[in-house]
Amino acid sequence: MVRMFKSALVTTALVLAGALPAAAQQGLVEVPINNSFSVNELNWDSALGKVEFAWAVLDIRGVTYVCGASSASTSFAHRKTKTVFRKGWVKVGNTKVLKDLSYFTRAPRNTDLGTVKARCKPLPGKAGAANDFLLGFDPVRVRL
């Protein structure tokens, strides 16, 4: 089953002085999570836990970025977060414009996402000119 979540482009002015130097070299920046972010969760089951994540599509200094952070409720869910987010994608219309969301900040277990900085990656080319974005995940198989 493919999971999908919808967002609209949000224009915001953010101070990027706190961005990590190594991340900046890769085109990544970090921003505080605010009310522009959508908060969703992915559930394994009641025993294996869940992953809460916040994400947004933001216009930062004229460039469109997809930003996100996650926090898991159990050690199993925390260990599998990167595997799951590698299968994540963002679509504009019927086209996947960004694949592999494993760059999202992975906060310690049970962290309040409002206290975390989200890591952001720019969208390629003209993909950021759209108004509606769809975030989803392809099916993932993991070993228990």
Side-chain angles (χ1 to χ4, degrees):
M1 179 174 160
V2 176
R3 295 281 197 124
M4 296 182 286
F5 307 93
K6 193 171 181 176
S7 180
L9 176 64
V10 176
T11 303
T12 185
L14 299 167
V15 177
L16 301 178
L20 296 173
Q25 291 175 1
Q26 299 171 17
L28 301 177
V29 296
E30 291 184 336
V31 298
I33 293 176
N34 58 32
N35 61 0
S36 299
F37 283 73
S38 296
V39 178
N40 303 100
E41 53 183 53
L42 300 169
N43 294 297
W44 291 96
D45 72 17
S46 59
L48 298 177
K50 65 182 179 182
V51 177
E52 182 181 49
F53 66 99
W55 75 287
V57 179
L58 302 174
D59 181 303
I60 302 172
R61 296 185 183 162
V63 178
T64 303
Y65 286 83
V66 176
C67 305
S70 68
S71 178
S73 64
T74 64
S75 60
F76 172 84
H78 184 74
R79 285 191 318 268
K80 300 303 180 184
T81 298
K82 195 163 196 133
T83 303
V84 171
F85 279 83
R86 277 194 184 115
K87 295 288 189 171
W89 44 259
V90 174
K91 276 186 180 180
V92 173
N94 291 326
T95 306
K96 289 182 182 177
V97 295
L98 185 63
K99 296 178 185 176
D100 187 357
L101 304 177
S102 63
Y103 67 89
F104 278 17
T105 301
R106 195 172 75 162
R109 285 187 297 152
N110 296 314
T111 299
D112 175 6
L113 290 177
T115 64
V116 175
K117 285 191 175 186
R119 195 167 294 133
C120 307
K121 188 173 189 176
L123 283 175
K126 302 286 183 191
N131 287 323
D132 288 324
F133 300 88
L134 193 63
L135 180 142
F137 296 88
D138 289 330
V140 177
R141 291 180 186 260
V142 296
R143 294 191 101 135
L144 297 178

